[in-house]
Amino acid sequence: MWRRVASVSHLTFAQKSIVNKDVCKLKFWEAFSTGIPRKEKGTFQRDKTPFITFVLGGPGSGKGTQCMKIVENFGFTHLSAGDILRREIASNSADGTMILDTIKEGKIVPSELTVKLIQKEMESSDNYKFLIDGFPRSEDNRIAFEQIIGAEPDIVLFFDCPEDEMMKRVLNRNQGRVDDNIDTIKKRLKVFSALNLPVVKYYLERGKLYKINAVGTVDEIYKQVYPLFAQFNFEQQV
Ligand code: UP5
Ligand code: MG
């Protein structure tokens, strides 16, 4: 069983209500985990409740860049769903070709496959604090995560950035990504606004969404991000 470790005594009423929702979440997690064979190591043997942050935003909105800074300051494990899928392609796995074709088209890889890969990473990590970057990209992704992992995010960051700025950043990246070309970026932006924005709205309505203005320098943007994590008083990572 996982145990929550963030101290809550200093939190505002609104923040405590988020934590209260997590108490329900913990029961859900435990109920879910009892149906699953217990493993020597892994998700269901932890003595800490996971602290899960979903990091959302369009292509080039700065998700990965800001996650690196959160990792440095708060000791999170950064799971970029896009990076995990790119590693799967590079490993020549059975799904590699399908994933590559999907990414080239700016479409979304089947939810169950992505969630199982994320689950593998979570289970093999000794950490309990996770940044899940670039996921969920659709309602289908979100529901698959809830069903397979049996948990909801504690908080959701949304990097809000205008399309022209995102396009400029992606085209200037020069890291050889197969999807960093003008045709694929246009498709990624369309998929983002059609499928990802409903997820953003869902978490807004549940009071979990933190919208960040993603225009400005990296440090200016991080000034908005830092206090969101500082408020939780995380214990030192064990
Ligand atoms: N940069 C960053 N911040 C800046 C700033 N403030 N000012 C100026 N420049 C800034 O940043 C992008 C570039 O901008 C970098 O060069 C950076 O230095 C600069 P980055 O932090 O990399 O932005 P990020 O939001 O992470 O952009 P990314 O392109 O990674 O986002 P995507 O969501 O498009 O990509 P991802 O890797 O998550 O997914 C790729 C594809 O995989 C998807 O299109 C999809 O086909 C597939 N996928 C799924 O199917 N399912 C999933 O769950 C996840 C992915
Ligand atoms: Mg990224």
mmCIF file of all heavy atoms in Angstrom, residues 158-187:
data_model
loop_
_atom_site.group_PDB
_atom_site.id
_atom_site.type_symbol
_atom_site.label_atom_id
_atom_site.label_comp_id
_atom_site.label_asym_id
_atom_site.label_seq_id
_atom_site.Cartn_x
_atom_site.Cartn_y
_atom_site.Cartn_z
ATOM 1 N N PHE A 158 -1.219 22.820 -16.723
ATOM 2 C CA PHE A 158 -1.540 23.062 -18.135
ATOM 3 C C PHE A 158 -0.752 24.278 -18.616
ATOM 4 O O PHE A 158 -0.979 25.396 -18.146
ATOM 5 C CB PHE A 158 -3.042 23.291 -18.300
ATOM 6 C CG PHE A 158 -3.416 23.793 -19.672
ATOM 7 C CD1 PHE A 158 -2.923 23.184 -20.821
ATOM 8 C CD2 PHE A 158 -4.273 24.881 -19.813
ATOM 9 C CE1 PHE A 158 -3.260 23.651 -22.087
ATOM 10 C CE2 PHE A 158 -4.611 25.362 -21.071
ATOM 11 C CZ PHE A 158 -4.116 24.745 -22.212
ATOM 12 N N PHE A 159 0.194 24.027 -19.506
ATOM 13 C CA PHE A 159 1.004 25.111 -20.067
ATOM 14 C C PHE A 159 0.264 25.707 -21.262
ATOM 15 O O PHE A 159 0.143 25.071 -22.313
ATOM 16 C CB PHE A 159 2.407 24.591 -20.443
ATOM 17 C CG PHE A 159 3.214 24.292 -19.223
ATOM 18 C CD1 PHE A 159 3.312 23.000 -18.724
ATOM 19 C CD2 PHE A 159 3.833 25.318 -18.529
ATOM 20 C CE1 PHE A 159 4.013 22.730 -17.566
ATOM 21 C CE2 PHE A 159 4.548 25.068 -17.366
ATOM 22 C CZ PHE A 159 4.639 23.767 -16.890
ATOM 23 N N ASP A 160 -0.219 26.904 -21.052
ATOM 24 C CA ASP A 160 -1.076 27.569 -22.035
ATOM 25 C C ASP A 160 -0.212 28.471 -22.921
ATOM 26 O O ASP A 160 0.389 29.427 -22.435
ATOM 27 C CB ASP A 160 -2.107 28.405 -21.253
ATOM 28 C CG ASP A 160 -3.153 28.996 -22.172
ATOM 29 O OD1 ASP A 160 -3.367 28.437 -23.255
ATOM 30 O OD2 ASP A 160 -3.753 30.028 -21.795
ATOM 31 N N CYS A 161 -0.149 28.145 -24.207
ATOM 32 C CA CYS A 161 0.785 28.834 -25.103
ATOM 33 C C CYS A 161 0.107 29.044 -26.458
ATOM 34 O O CYS A 161 -0.562 28.134 -26.956
ATOM 35 C CB CYS A 161 2.020 27.933 -25.263
ATOM 36 S SG CYS A 161 3.444 28.744 -25.966
ATOM 37 N N PRO A 162 0.272 30.212 -27.073
ATOM 38 C CA PRO A 162 -0.345 30.422 -28.385
ATOM 39 C C PRO A 162 0.293 29.527 -29.450
ATOM 40 O O PRO A 162 1.481 29.196 -29.366
ATOM 41 C CB PRO A 162 -0.032 31.902 -28.694
ATOM 42 C CG PRO A 162 0.532 32.491 -27.463
ATOM 43 C CD PRO A 162 1.006 31.385 -26.581
ATOM 44 N N GLU A 163 -0.523 29.184 -30.461
ATOM 45 C CA GLU A 163 -0.057 28.244 -31.487
ATOM 46 C C GLU A 163 1.184 28.738 -32.226
ATOM 47 O O GLU A 163 2.092 27.959 -32.509
ATOM 48 C CB GLU A 163 -1.174 27.966 -32.494
ATOM 49 C CG GLU A 163 -2.253 27.076 -31.928
ATOM 50 C CD GLU A 163 -3.118 26.418 -33.001
ATOM 51 O OE1 GLU A 163 -2.916 26.698 -34.206
ATOM 52 O OE2 GLU A 163 -3.998 25.611 -32.615
ATOM 53 N N ASP A 164 1.241 30.041 -32.542
ATOM 54 C CA ASP A 164 2.394 30.519 -33.330
ATOM 55 C C ASP A 164 3.688 30.378 -32.531
ATOM 56 O O ASP A 164 4.740 30.024 -33.062
ATOM 57 C CB ASP A 164 2.185 31.947 -33.847
ATOM 58 C CG ASP A 164 1.857 32.941 -32.746
ATOM 59 O OD1 ASP A 164 1.557 32.508 -31.606
ATOM 60 O OD2 ASP A 164 1.911 34.158 -33.006
ATOM 61 N N GLU A 165 3.619 30.595 -31.220
ATOM 62 C CA GLU A 165 4.805 30.440 -30.368
ATOM 63 C C GLU A 165 5.217 28.958 -30.284
ATOM 64 O O GLU A 165 6.402 28.619 -30.368
ATOM 65 C CB GLU A 165 4.500 31.003 -28.964
ATOM 66 C CG GLU A 165 5.603 30.835 -27.925
ATOM 67 C CD GLU A 165 6.872 31.655 -28.209
ATOM 68 O OE1 GLU A 165 6.810 32.616 -29.004
ATOM 69 O OE2 GLU A 165 7.924 31.290 -27.631
ATOM 70 N N MET A 166 4.221 28.084 -30.145
ATOM 71 C CA MET A 166 4.539 26.646 -30.060
ATOM 72 C C MET A 166 5.196 26.174 -31.352
ATOM 73 O O MET A 166 6.188 25.441 -31.332
ATOM 74 C CB MET A 166 3.254 25.832 -29.801
ATOM 75 C CG MET A 166 2.665 26.068 -28.428
ATOM 76 S SD MET A 166 1.465 24.811 -27.952
ATOM 77 C CE MET A 166 -0.041 25.403 -28.659
ATOM 78 N N MET A 167 4.634 26.641 -32.469
ATOM 79 C CA MET A 167 5.176 26.218 -33.764
ATOM 80 C C MET A 167 6.621 26.696 -33.916
ATOM 81 O O MET A 167 7.504 25.934 -34.339
ATOM 82 C CB MET A 167 4.293 26.768 -34.876
ATOM 83 C CG MET A 167 4.628 26.140 -36.185
ATOM 84 S SD MET A 167 3.497 26.520 -37.488
ATOM 85 C CE MET A 167 2.112 25.549 -37.239
ATOM 86 N N LYS A 168 6.861 27.937 -33.521
ATOM 87 C CA LYS A 168 8.218 28.501 -33.631
ATOM 88 C C LYS A 168 9.211 27.668 -32.798
ATOM 89 O O LYS A 168 10.286 27.300 -33.280
ATOM 90 C CB LYS A 168 8.168 29.953 -33.107
ATOM 91 C CG LYS A 168 9.366 30.798 -33.491
ATOM 92 C CD LYS A 168 9.141 32.261 -33.123
ATOM 93 C CE LYS A 168 9.272 32.469 -31.622
ATOM 94 N NZ LYS A 168 8.881 33.817 -31.169
ATOM 95 N N ARG A 169 8.826 27.351 -31.586
ATOM 96 C CA ARG A 169 9.731 26.594 -30.705
ATOM 97 C C ARG A 169 10.034 25.210 -31.270
ATOM 98 O O ARG A 169 11.183 24.753 -31.242
ATOM 99 C CB ARG A 169 9.111 26.445 -29.310
ATOM 100 C CG ARG A 169 9.074 27.741 -28.532
ATOM 101 C CD ARG A 169 8.494 27.469 -27.145
ATOM 102 N NE ARG A 169 8.170 28.686 -26.437
ATOM 103 C CZ ARG A 169 7.521 28.718 -25.283
ATOM 104 N NH1 ARG A 169 7.111 27.586 -24.712
ATOM 105 N NH2 ARG A 169 7.259 29.858 -24.690
ATOM 106 N N VAL A 170 8.984 24.540 -31.747
ATOM 107 C CA VAL A 170 9.188 23.170 -32.249
ATOM 108 C C VAL A 170 10.081 23.185 -33.495
ATOM 109 O O VAL A 170 10.994 22.361 -33.640
ATOM 110 C CB VAL A 170 7.825 22.492 -32.534
ATOM 111 C CG1 VAL A 170 8.027 21.174 -33.267
ATOM 112 C CG2 VAL A 170 7.067 22.251 -31.237
ATOM 113 N N LEU A 171 9.847 24.144 -34.368
ATOM 114 C CA LEU A 171 10.643 24.204 -35.606
ATOM 115 C C LEU A 171 12.097 24.584 -35.329
ATOM 116 O O LEU A 171 12.981 24.256 -36.107
ATOM 117 C CB LEU A 171 10.007 25.170 -36.607
ATOM 118 C CG LEU A 171 8.705 24.664 -37.239
ATOM 119 C CD1 LEU A 171 8.082 25.735 -38.127
ATOM 120 C CD2 LEU A 171 8.914 23.369 -38.020
ATOM 121 N N ASN A 172 12.334 25.256 -34.207
ATOM 122 C CA ASN A 172 13.718 25.631 -33.850
ATOM 123 C C ASN A 172 14.426 24.579 -33.023
ATOM 124 O O ASN A 172 15.571 24.757 -32.643
ATOM 125 C CB ASN A 172 13.717 26.948 -33.034
ATOM 126 C CG ASN A 172 13.450 28.136 -33.933
ATOM 127 O OD1 ASN A 172 13.682 28.058 -35.137
ATOM 128 N ND2 ASN A 172 12.943 29.222 -33.361
ATOM 129 N N ARG A 173 13.741 23.488 -32.704
ATOM 130 C CA ARG A 173 14.312 22.548 -31.738
ATOM 131 C C ARG A 173 15.528 21.797 -32.285
ATOM 132 O O ARG A 173 16.491 21.555 -31.550
ATOM 133 C CB ARG A 173 13.246 21.569 -31.254
ATOM 134 C CG ARG A 173 13.806 20.521 -30.308
ATOM 135 C CD ARG A 173 12.770 19.868 -29.432
ATOM 136 N NE ARG A 173 11.542 19.548 -30.131
ATOM 137 C CZ ARG A 173 10.409 19.257 -29.518
ATOM 138 N NH1 ARG A 173 10.348 19.247 -28.206
ATOM 139 N NH2 ARG A 173 9.326 18.960 -30.204
ATOM 140 N N ASN A 174 15.454 21.358 -33.539
ATOM 141 C CA ASN A 174 16.618 20.689 -34.164
ATOM 142 C C ASN A 174 17.154 19.486 -33.408
ATOM 143 O O ASN A 174 18.348 19.346 -33.225
ATOM 144 C CB ASN A 174 17.788 21.690 -34.322
ATOM 145 C CG ASN A 174 17.519 22.651 -35.453
ATOM 146 O OD1 ASN A 174 16.877 22.268 -36.433
ATOM 147 N ND2 ASN A 174 17.978 23.888 -35.310
ATOM 148 N N GLN A 175 16.245 18.631 -32.942
ATOM 149 C CA GLN A 175 16.736 17.403 -32.278
ATOM 150 C C GLN A 175 16.462 16.175 -33.126
ATOM 151 O O GLN A 175 16.549 15.046 -32.650
ATOM 152 C CB GLN A 175 16.081 17.251 -30.899
ATOM 153 C CG GLN A 175 16.669 18.207 -29.873
ATOM 154 C CD GLN A 175 15.977 18.108 -28.533
ATOM 155 O OE1 GLN A 175 15.014 17.354 -28.328
ATOM 156 N NE2 GLN A 175 16.457 18.896 -27.576
ATOM 157 N N GLY A 176 16.057 16.403 -34.378
ATOM 158 C CA GLY A 176 15.844 15.283 -35.296
ATOM 159 C C GLY A 176 14.585 14.481 -35.039
ATOM 160 O O GLY A 176 14.474 13.336 -35.485
ATOM 161 N N ARG A 177 13.618 15.052 -34.342
ATOM 162 C CA ARG A 177 12.374 14.305 -34.110
ATOM 163 C C ARG A 177 11.573 14.198 -35.411
ATOM 164 O O ARG A 177 11.430 15.176 -36.138
ATOM 165 C CB ARG A 177 11.537 14.987 -33.004
ATOM 166 C CG ARG A 177 11.893 14.443 -31.637
ATOM 167 C CD ARG A 177 11.188 15.124 -30.521
ATOM 168 N NE ARG A 177 9.732 15.194 -30.655
ATOM 169 C CZ ARG A 177 8.920 15.577 -29.673
ATOM 170 N NH1 ARG A 177 9.429 15.900 -28.492
ATOM 171 N NH2 ARG A 177 7.625 15.637 -29.867
ATOM 172 N N VAL A 178 11.019 12.986 -35.652
ATOM 173 C CA VAL A 178 10.314 12.762 -36.926
ATOM 174 C C VAL A 178 9.059 13.619 -37.054
ATOM 175 O O VAL A 178 8.552 13.811 -38.155
ATOM 176 C CB VAL A 178 9.905 11.273 -37.113
ATOM 177 C CG1 VAL A 178 11.119 10.393 -37.281
ATOM 178 C CG2 VAL A 178 9.017 10.799 -35.976
ATOM 179 N N ASP A 179 8.577 14.116 -35.929
ATOM 180 C CA ASP A 179 7.321 14.885 -35.966
ATOM 181 C C ASP A 179 7.562 16.400 -35.896
ATOM 182 O O ASP A 179 6.616 17.181 -35.853
ATOM 183 C CB ASP A 179 6.372 14.443 -34.844
ATOM 184 C CG ASP A 179 7.005 14.470 -33.453
ATOM 185 O OD1 ASP A 179 8.253 14.605 -33.357
ATOM 186 O OD2 ASP A 179 6.257 14.372 -32.470
ATOM 187 N N ASP A 180 8.827 16.819 -35.905
ATOM 188 C CA ASP A 180 9.108 18.269 -35.862
ATOM 189 C C ASP A 180 9.259 18.843 -37.274
ATOM 190 O O ASP A 180 10.320 19.340 -37.653
ATOM 191 C CB ASP A 180 10.387 18.538 -35.036
ATOM 192 C CG ASP A 180 10.131 18.462 -33.539
ATOM 193 O OD1 ASP A 180 8.958 18.276 -33.133
ATOM 194 O OD2 ASP A 180 11.100 18.587 -32.769
ATOM 195 N N ASN A 181 8.218 18.731 -38.055
ATOM 196 C CA ASN A 181 8.200 19.345 -39.382
ATOM 197 C C ASN A 181 6.851 20.018 -39.544
ATOM 198 O O ASN A 181 5.895 19.668 -38.848
ATOM 199 C CB ASN A 181 8.432 18.289 -40.476
ATOM 200 C CG ASN A 181 7.373 17.204 -40.417
ATOM 201 O OD1 ASN A 181 6.221 17.403 -40.811
ATOM 202 N ND2 ASN A 181 7.742 16.058 -39.866
ATOM 203 N N ILE A 182 6.790 20.958 -40.449
ATOM 204 C CA ILE A 182 5.605 21.818 -40.511
ATOM 205 C C ILE A 182 4.298 21.031 -40.697
ATOM 206 O O ILE A 182 3.297 21.313 -40.041
ATOM 207 C CB ILE A 182 5.788 22.925 -41.596
ATOM 208 C CG1 ILE A 182 4.685 23.963 -41.542
ATOM 209 C CG2 ILE A 182 5.911 22.374 -42.980
ATOM 210 C CD1 ILE A 182 4.976 25.071 -40.593
ATOM 211 N N ASP A 183 4.327 20.001 -41.568
ATOM 212 C CA ASP A 183 3.084 19.247 -41.826
ATOM 213 C C ASP A 183 2.613 18.520 -40.561
ATOM 214 O O ASP A 183 1.433 18.573 -40.200
ATOM 215 C CB ASP A 183 3.311 18.200 -42.927
ATOM 216 C CG ASP A 183 3.394 18.869 -44.292
ATOM 217 O OD1 ASP A 183 3.000 20.058 -44.391
ATOM 218 O OD2 ASP A 183 3.867 18.211 -45.240
ATOM 219 N N THR A 184 3.552 17.846 -39.902
ATOM 220 C CA THR A 184 3.148 17.083 -38.702
ATOM 221 C C THR A 184 2.765 18.026 -37.563
ATOM 222 O O THR A 184 1.829 17.743 -36.816
ATOM 223 C CB THR A 184 4.273 16.115 -38.257
ATOM 224 O OG1 THR A 184 4.712 15.366 -39.385
ATOM 225 C CG2 THR A 184 3.792 15.163 -37.185
ATOM 226 N N ILE A 185 3.450 19.150 -37.464
ATOM 227 C CA ILE A 185 3.110 20.072 -36.361
ATOM 228 C C ILE A 185 1.666 20.576 -36.516
ATOM 229 O O ILE A 185 0.920 20.642 -35.532
ATOM 230 C CB ILE A 185 4.078 21.259 -36.293
ATOM 231 C CG1 ILE A 185 5.470 20.774 -35.903
ATOM 232 C CG2 ILE A 185 3.614 22.290 -35.259
ATOM 233 C CD1 ILE A 185 6.543 21.790 -36.153
ATOM 234 N N LYS A 186 1.289 20.875 -37.762
ATOM 235 C CA LYS A 186 -0.106 21.329 -37.967
ATOM 236 C C LYS A 186 -1.089 20.261 -37.499
ATOM 237 O O LYS A 186 -2.094 20.557 -36.858
ATOM 238 C CB LYS A 186 -0.327 21.640 -39.451
ATOM 239 C CG LYS A 186 0.266 22.983 -39.869
ATOM 240 C CD LYS A 186 -0.058 23.267 -41.322
ATOM 241 C CE LYS A 186 0.620 24.543 -41.778
ATOM 242 N NZ LYS A 186 0.717 24.624 -43.253
ATOM 243 N N LYS A 187 -0.759 19.003 -37.807
ATOM 244 C CA LYS A 187 -1.649 17.901 -37.380
ATOM 245 C C LYS A 187 -1.639 17.770 -35.852
ATOM 246 O O LYS A 187 -2.682 17.556 -35.224
ATOM 247 C CB LYS A 187 -1.194 16.578 -38.014
ATOM 248 C CG LYS A 187 -1.431 16.528 -39.520
ATOM 249 C CD LYS A 187 -0.882 15.232 -40.106
ATOM 250 C CE LYS A 187 -0.997 15.247 -41.627
ATOM 251 N NZ LYS A 187 -0.199 14.215 -42.284
#
